[in-house]
Amino acid sequence: ATRIIEHVRSAVARLFGSRVRMEPCGSYRRGAATCGDVDILLAAEQGQEGSQEESQDITSEAEILSRLIAELGGFLTHHLKSGKLLHEDERPSN
């Protein structure tokens, strides 16, 4: 799991520099002996006023996830692209 996390952390750094912070979560963070999957949390950081990074702020969670998934390519076996909750009027009818 550590190698996976470091691989993803490197991809995040290449794509976003200090604009996105990545933290491992789930069983890995809790120190479990085995991990069935690797959970990560991504958080956009706001650039310092007047800095070059300020003009490159991340526009959405979807942008972060889409770019990261594309960067990781065949490395991923599964991914959840978005945890966005739908408003009542956006939910499919049964």
Side-chain angles (χ1 to χ4, degrees):
T2 299
R3 287 190 289 164
I4 294 169
I5 289 168
E6 291 310 314
H7 187 80
V8 174
R9 190 181 307 276
S10 293
V12 169
R14 278 192 308 276
L15 289 170
F16 306 109
S18 62
R19 296 175 294 143
V20 173
R21 183 173 51 115
M22 187 208 102
E23 294 295 329
C25 302
S27 56
Y28 180 84
R29 183 186 59 83
R30 291 189 303 271
T34 61
C35 299
D37 64 356
V38 175
D39 302 307
I40 61 168
L41 174 69
L42 300 167
E45 303 284 357
Q46 297 300 317
Q48 297 295 321
E49 189 172 331
S51 72
Q52 182 178 1
E53 286 187 344
E54 180 186 29
S55 64
Q56 299 173 346
D57 279 345
I58 306 302
T59 58
S60 70
E61 295 90 353
E63 177 190 356
I64 294 170
L65 291 172
S66 293
R67 289 178 61 193
L68 182 57
I69 289 166
E71 176 74 12
L72 293 170
F75 180 76
L76 296 176
T77 58
H78 296 81
H79 64 81
L80 297 176
K81 192 167 181 177
S82 176
K84 178 182 175 187
L85 296 175
L86 298 176
H87 293 285
E88 191 68 36
D89 57 337
E90 296 176 314
R91 293 185 183 153
S93 58
N94 293 337

